[in-house]
Amino acid sequence: MAEKIHALKVKYKSNPGWYWLIATIFLFPVLPEYISPFILFFGFIVFKRQWTREGRKAKVGTLGKLEIAFMSLALVSALWSDNKLDTLGSAGLWWGMFLVQVMIYNLANTREKIDKIFKMITLSAALNGLTGTIQICTRLLNKFGYISEKFVLVTPFYKRLDEIVYTWLPFNIKTNTFSDRASGFYSNPNLLATYMVVAYPISIYLFLNAKNPKQKFFYFLMNLLISAGISSTLTRAGCVIALVGWIFMFIVLAKRHAKELLTIFIPTVGIIVPSILTRYGIIFTNENRKITTVVPDVVAGNTAIPDYTSSPNYIAAKRSSETHIEIWKSVWDYITSNVHVFIRGLGFGCESTGVFLLESYELNKPHAHNFVFEIWAELGIIGLVLLAVIILCAFGKLLEINANNGKKFDLVFCVFTSLMLLLFFGLSDYIFNSPKQIILFMIILGLSQSISQCYEKTLIKSTDDLVKATSKTFKEMVELK
């Protein structure tokens, strides 16, 4: 035992920054949001001291420099923001979460290390999925009278601790919690759903490229828990996007992995589709303490289908969709009606968006529920263009890689899909609303940089190069066996 502990100490001392990085990747989604950032900050200090001791300089790359420009604009916007503390705090979160991207880019310099980060993401997501599943299942069992309230796993997991911490803080923090929708270790079901849709393609990659049957079963179970986590949030957009993600991956990877992807699809559909049906009140409605479904009832030889459109769940889901559309119309109207907002925005941080939605449109909503509209309202067209360039550069980093073998292509494609699903989810909800969401974006960008530096690539310097790289990717997709 002593020898093993000594061996671990030797391994840690040889590369302490790396071990802090993988610990951060695993722990950040599990710990409360007021603790997680400090794990990252301490880990970065360890990494920076290691790099200084070794006489090396931390690099950020072209992508990092673009992000620094975007985050600098976010800081400068405090000059014209009416909510300066919110602006400085929100910009500070971006600068803080950027540290994980720097660590990944500098430390994850081999495919083995990239795979290790994938494993940490998957394990942490599966743990959240398991917690969310227990939360929603115990809640339903209590709702229908099978267990008492004391056996229900509280959601969010840190709800009691959150109340103590937020009451103790000298400023007011409001969080919307949902006792009937799972949040895992997050404070909100939509935050959990964001993490789940990012981790979903990564878990599939690990399943498809498992080295032996034991590993394959393990990652199948991890994917199952992640799917259950998505389902437990009852987040319509998250559930639909996960299904779309599977379809997209099947179309691209079916030539080599059709059977394995179908194996994944069966539990995914079996777990996620009921969540969508529940959210719309089609199944699992609580009427007269009985579970009702849309299974036809045969009464005196007649078949009748219950009218689920009158159920509270369906009405609430429909109202939610209508409210989203109303928010988007209002934000668009406000942006296009104010020249200074159109160009430079109101200042970083979504507090200003919540204020004008309430004061000008009588909508008591905290943000635009769409990252495009939200960034536009905060930083104007200048900030939105900068963010678009960052995203395009990240996709370009992946497209330029010569993915000339199956596993390499799977690796690149799964990160591409994770980023794509994150952005799609951001079209119905704001995906940069908390450090646990912002860090997801930074992790994906860091992985894109690391993968790009690990493999031979065709540099993209112009639009023509981008077209050629995209064509090359399609050719590789068709030719790979």
Side-chain angles (χ1 to χ4, degrees):
M1 188 64 175
E3 292 180 356
K4 290 183 178 180
I5 294 174
H6 177 71
L8 287 173
K9 287 182 178 179
V10 171
K11 288 179 67 176
Y12 171 78
K13 289 180 179 180
S14 67
N15 197 353
W18 165 248
Y19 289 99
W20 270 100
L21 172 61
I22 59 174
T24 299
I25 297 291
F26 177 78
L27 292 174
F28 208 99
V30 174
L31 296 174
E33 290 187 312
Y34 37 82
I35 295 177
S36 293
F38 294 101
I39 302 294
L40 170 59
F41 298 154
F42 190 84
F44 185 80
I45 291 171
V46 173
F47 155 73
K48 194 67 177 68
R49 288 183 63 185
Q50 176 187 342
W51 245 229
T52 301
R53 187 172 63 250
E54 296 175 3
R56 304 165 71 177
K57 290 185 177 180
K59 54 187 178 181
V60 297
T62 303
L63 186 57
K65 291 174 183 177
L66 289 171
E67 290 173 82
I68 288 173
F70 175 83
M71 294 184 297
S72 297
L73 174 62
L75 275 176
V76 171
S77 70
L79 295 175
W80 60 82
S81 173
D82 291 333
N83 302 282
K84 298 187 186 303
L85 286 178
D86 180 54
T87 296
L88 292 173
S90 298
L93 280 180
W94 277 71
W95 280 97
M97 298 307 101
F98 179 65
L99 300 179
V100 80
Q101 181 177 336
V102 177
M103 292 178 71
I104 291 173
Y105 184 33
N106 287 270
L107 292 166
N109 51 9
T110 65
R111 191 172 71 185
E112 289 73 25
K113 289 183 177 179
I114 292 169
D115 279 357
K116 186 70 173 180
I117 291 175
F118 281 6
K119 291 173 184 176
M120 292 300 104
I121 293 171
T122 300
L123 288 172
S124 191
L127 183 57
N128 264 284
L130 175 62
T131 304
T133 302
I134 296 172
Q135 287 171 335
I136 195 69
C137 287
T138 53
R139 174 69 183 178
L140 285 172
L141 289 172
N142 171 255
K143 179 180 179 180
F144 296 114
Y146 294 108
I147 63 174
S148 67
E149 184 73 27
K150 66 180 180 180
F151 293 112
V152 176
L153 181 60
V154 66
T155 183
F157 186 83
Y158 297 111
K159 186 175 182 177
R160 306 289 181 255
L161 181 60
D162 291 347
E163 291 172 352
I164 295 171
V165 172
Y166 295 152
T167 302
W168 172 77
L169 290 173
F171 47 86
N172 186 33
I173 292 181
K174 292 182 180 179
T175 57
N176 294 324
T177 60
F178 301 83
S179 60
D180 58 343
R181 295 169 58 195
S183 300
F185 295 107
Y186 286 71
S187 59
N188 180 287
N190 286 353
L191 303 188
L192 175 60
T194 309
Y195 185 36
M196 296 292 103
V197 297
V198 168
Y200 181 73
I202 292 174
S203 68
I204 291 179
Y205 161 78
L206 293 173
F207 171 73
L208 296 179
N209 292 278
K211 295 179 181 179
N212 53 59
K214 186 177 179 179
Q215 277 192 9
K216 192 168 284 290
F217 175 77
F218 178 77
Y219 289 121
F220 174 82
L221 180 60
M222 295 299 99
N223 181 267
L224 193 68
L225 291 173
I226 291 170
S227 298
I230 296 172
S231 178
S232 70
T233 66
L234 297 179
T235 303
R236 291 164 295 158
C239 292
V240 171
I241 287 169
L243 294 176
V244 169
W246 180 90
I247 293 170
F248 179 57
M249 296 187 77
F250 184 81
I251 291 171
V252 175
L253 302 176
K255 187 175 181 180
R256 291 179 295 113
H257 298 298
K259 184 178 178 180
E260 294 161 300
L261 284 168
L262 286 172
T263 303
I264 285 283
F265 185 63
I266 294 170
T268 296
V269 171
I271 292 171
I272 291 179
V273 170
S275 178
I276 300 172
L277 299 179
T278 300
R279 190 69 195 279
Y280 279 99
I282 299 175
I283 62 174
F284 297 122
T285 60
N286 189 15
E287 297 175 4
N288 299 323
R289 309 295 294 174
K290 293 181 180 179
I291 301 177
T292 63
T293 71
V294 292
V295 177
D297 296 322
V298 180
V299 181
N302 296 320
T303 302
I305 299 178
D307 181 18
Y308 63 86
T309 59
S310 61
S311 72
N313 284 2
Y314 179 85
I315 293 171
K318 184 180 178 182
R319 187 182 298 121
S320 175
S321 298
E322 292 171 348
T323 302
H324 274 64
I325 294 172
E326 190 175 354
I327 292 170
W328 299 335
K329 287 181 179 179
S330 301
V331 175
W332 172 252
D333 178 71
Y334 192 85
I335 290 172
T336 54
S337 300
N338 297 273
V339 176
H340 71 282
V341 177
F342 186 94
I343 297 173
R344 69 179 189 183
L346 294 165
F348 204 54
C350 57
E351 187 172 333
S352 295
T353 307
V355 170
F356 84 69
L357 283 173
L358 181 60
E359 293 182 351
S360 301
Y361 302 95
E362 298 182 351
L363 291 169
N364 188 16
K365 298 297 176 181
H367 49 69
H369 285 274
N370 178 291
F371 83 96
V372 176
F373 280 137
E374 185 61 43
I375 294 297
W376 198 345
E378 293 178 16
L379 294 178
I381 195 67
I382 299 172
L384 184 60
V385 169
L386 267 175
L387 182 61
V389 171
I390 291 168
I391 292 169
L392 288 174
C393 182
F395 280 125
K397 286 283 182 187
L398 297 171
L399 288 172
E400 70 184 6
I401 297 168
N402 296 326
N404 50 12
N405 67 57
K407 186 170 183 179
K408 191 191 299 184
F409 184 88
D410 293 348
L411 175 70
V412 172
F413 180 68
C414 92
V415 175
F416 184 97
T417 304
S418 286
L419 179 56
M420 183 187 71
L421 296 188
L422 174 65
L423 297 175
F424 277 169
F425 188 71
L427 296 178
S428 66
D429 194 47
Y430 189 46
I431 51 174
F432 305 127
N433 203 33
S434 77
K436 282 190 173 184
Q437 285 183 303
I438 298 168
I439 199 172
L440 288 175
F441 186 59
M442 300 299 182
I443 288 172
I444 298 174
L445 297 188
L447 286 170
S448 300
Q449 290 179 297
S450 288
I451 294 170
S452 179
Q453 74 175 341
C454 286
Y455 296 106
E456 180 186 352
K457 52 187 175 292
T458 304
L459 294 179
I460 298 176
K461 297 181 178 180
S462 65
T463 306
D464 289 340
D465 291 339
L466 179 61
V467 172
K468 289 178 182 178
T470 305
S471 300
K472 173 183 63 63
T473 300
F474 278 111
K475 184 178 179 181
E476 290 166 347
M477 180 177 68
V478 172
E479 292 179 350
L480 284 175
K481 297 181 180 180

